[in-house]
């Protein structure tokens, strides 16, 4: 389903087995080498979402190889199987067998939301690339607010992202404002391996070398 130019929602794209495997992988990354944490913001705030990164470590507002705001460790490498998953996601979303060609995501932010976690309106502009962002949801359903590229206010569209859903943000939608204003607790299927909460994986191309 096309939400805006370049923004495509594919409900139920991941199989239950794929969701289970992603939960296992994310659970391992959450333990280390850089443990999952509430990101501290430069002005003293703390995000309610917990995040662990692979490939590159995101900290507001840059990417580094080592998590100098957590424990100083180098983040886990971005696995080839996830590059392949990202390419398949673009093929599915854009219904074009060539859509994944040349797409090599090198970082993923893995966000965990408990029932009270929220993400305010923001743009993802710390990447030096306009390659698409691939977003995967597992667990509880959330309200996802998809805005415009001008400012954090209206017009925006609220939609629900449920377990297994794929969302691709490319083209003119890559730099749209967006938010997660609400998670609906208890809506996920425990068969994914996630007993509660929402897991979101976003693959990106940083545009950085080394
Ligand atoms: C989430 N995460 O559900 C979302 C999914 C984040 C974040 O927003 O920054 O970790 S990624 C949604 C996204 C990415 C890039 C562009 C747009 C949305 N967009 O243009 O709307 O945890
Ligand atoms: Fe974002």
């Amino acid at each position: 389903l096309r939400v805006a130019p370049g923004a495509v929602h594919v409900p139920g794209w991941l199989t239950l087995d794929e969701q289970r495997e992603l939960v296992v992988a994310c659970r391992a990354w959450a333990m280390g080498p850089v443990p999952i944490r509430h990101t501290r913001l430069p002005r003293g705030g703390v995000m309610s979402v917990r995040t662990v990164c692979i490939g590159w470590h995101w900290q507001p507002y840059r990417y580094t190889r080592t998590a100098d705001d957590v424990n100083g460790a180098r983040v886990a490498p971005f696995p080839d199987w996830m590059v392949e998953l990202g390419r398949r996601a673009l093929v599915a979303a854009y219904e074009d067998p060539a859509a994944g060609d040349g797409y090599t995501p090198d970082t993923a932010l893995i966000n965990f939301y408990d029932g009270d976690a929220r993400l305010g309106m923001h743009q993802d502009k710390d990447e030096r690339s306009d390659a698409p962002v691939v977003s995967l949801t597992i667990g509880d359903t959330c309200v996802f607010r998809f805005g415009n590229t001008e400012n954090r206010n209206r017009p925006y569209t609220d939609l629900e992202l449920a377990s297994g859903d794929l969302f691709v943000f490319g083209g003119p939608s890559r730099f749209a404002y967006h938010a997660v204003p609400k998670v609906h607790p208890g809506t996920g299927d425990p068969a994914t391996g996630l007993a509660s909460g929402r897991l979101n994986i976003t693959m990106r191309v940083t545009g950085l070398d080394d």
Side-chain angles (χ1 to χ4, degrees), residues 19-158:
Q19 294 178 65
R20 278 201 193 98
E21 287 169 15
L22 286 167
V23 168
V24 169
C26 291
R27 203 164 259 143
W29 285 320
M31 310 286 291
V34 179
I36 193 165
R37 90 296 184 197
H38 294 277
T39 304
R40 288 194 298 261
L41 300 168
R43 316 276 296 254
V46 177
M47 292 177 67
S48 59
V49 174
R50 288 187 293 152
T51 303
V52 62
C53 307
I54 57 173
W56 288 88
H57 178 77
W58 178 79
Q59 56 188 100
Y61 293 95
R62 64 207 174 96
Y63 285 97
T64 53
R65 283 295 194 187
T66 56
D68 37 62
D69 60 337
V70 186
N71 65 352
R74 189 179 170 103
V75 295
F78 193 95
D80 291 341
W81 62 260
M82 197 174 275
V83 175
E84 293 305 321
L85 184 63
R87 290 177 182 168
R88 282 205 289 122
L90 294 195
V91 170
Y94 294 136
E95 297 177 294
D96 171 0
D101 296 0
Y103 183 64
T104 307
D106 63 348
T107 189
L109 274 66
I110 297 160
N111 288 332
F112 181 78
Y113 296 74
D114 67 17
D116 299 319
R118 308 271 181 274
L119 192 61
M121 275 302 234
H122 67 279
Q123 288 171 298
D124 291 10
K125 53 180 186 188
D126 297 328
E127 300 80 20
R128 293 179 200 165
S129 161
D130 56 11
V133 172
V134 169
S135 161
L136 301 170
T137 292
I138 300 171
D140 287 343
T141 299
C142 75
V143 177
F144 180 76
R145 184 162 289 172
F146 180 71
N148 62 80
T149 53
E150 296 299 309
N151 60 60
R152 62 189 67 248
N153 308 315
R154 288 182 173 81
Y156 50 69
T157 306
D158 282 353

Side-chain angles (χ1 to χ4, degrees), residues 109 111 113 119 122 124 133 135 144 146 161 169 173-178 180 198 200 202 204:
L109 274 66
N111 288 332
Y113 296 74
L119 192 61
H122 67 279
D124 291 10
V133 172
S135 161
F144 180 76
F146 180 71
L161 294 183
F169 303 93
S173 297
R174 173 63 182 80
F175 296 103
Y177 281 87
H178 56 280
V180 178
R198 170 175 185 261
N200 180 267
T202 55
R204 302 135 191 260

